[in-house]
Amino acid sequence: MPRASDFARRDIPLCSPTESVGEVRGRIKAAGSDRVVVVNDAGVVLGLLSGRALESVADTPVEEAMDPAPVTFRPDTLAHELVHHLERAAVHTALITDADGVLIGVFGRDEARTALQPHD
């Protein structure tokens, strides 16, 4: 059975908590994203910077503007169960981390749902 890690995209914007919102805002817009995962030097997820937080004053430190400790899921979570959970919560993506909180990637609900559908 496919697991969450099978669908985790690893090409996602990352930043440090010590960067400024202005630095990060420019970088993620250039990458075509609307959010950035905040990680420490070891890759442990510390927060998520998105939405209104990205509109903070440019010199605001990311650690002051981020959503601290976002919900994460383990890589061995069954993909179809995670799709259903995200649908019920009306959320499109989920962070996948290992047991130590190190980021593995971002699970996209819609992409996973499409891939999991039986092919005719």
Side-chain angles (χ1 to χ4, degrees):
M1 300 209 76
R3 306 287 178 177
S5 60
D6 297 329
F7 296 97
R9 291 189 327 267
R10 288 153 177 82
D11 61 336
I12 53 175
L14 305 175
C15 76
S16 160
T18 59
E19 290 183 79
S20 73
V21 171
E23 291 173 309
V24 173
R25 185 171 41 224
R27 194 167 69 236
I28 67 169
K29 286 187 185 205
S33 184
D34 63 351
R35 67 194 64 216
V36 62
V37 181
V38 184
V39 296
N40 66 14
D41 292 338
V44 174
V45 173
L46 302 175
L48 188 63
L49 188 67
S50 63
R52 295 182 65 94
L54 283 170
E55 299 170 13
S56 299
V57 175
D59 64 351
T60 303
V62 166
E63 64 189 338
E64 290 180 17
M66 71 182 187
D67 173 18
V71 174
T72 63
F73 295 87
R74 296 293 171 253
D76 61 345
T77 302
L78 293 176
H80 73 275
E81 290 179 1
L82 185 50
V83 166
H84 293 301
H85 175 79
L86 295 177
E87 286 174 339
R88 285 190 306 272
V91 176
H92 290 276
T93 61
L95 298 177
I96 307 300
T97 62
D98 69 13
D100 294 322
V102 174
L103 181 67
I104 293 172
V106 174
F107 180 94
R109 178 192 76 190
D110 297 336
E111 297 88 1
R113 182 179 350 132
T114 300
L116 290 168
Q117 288 177 349
H119 298 295
D120 296 326

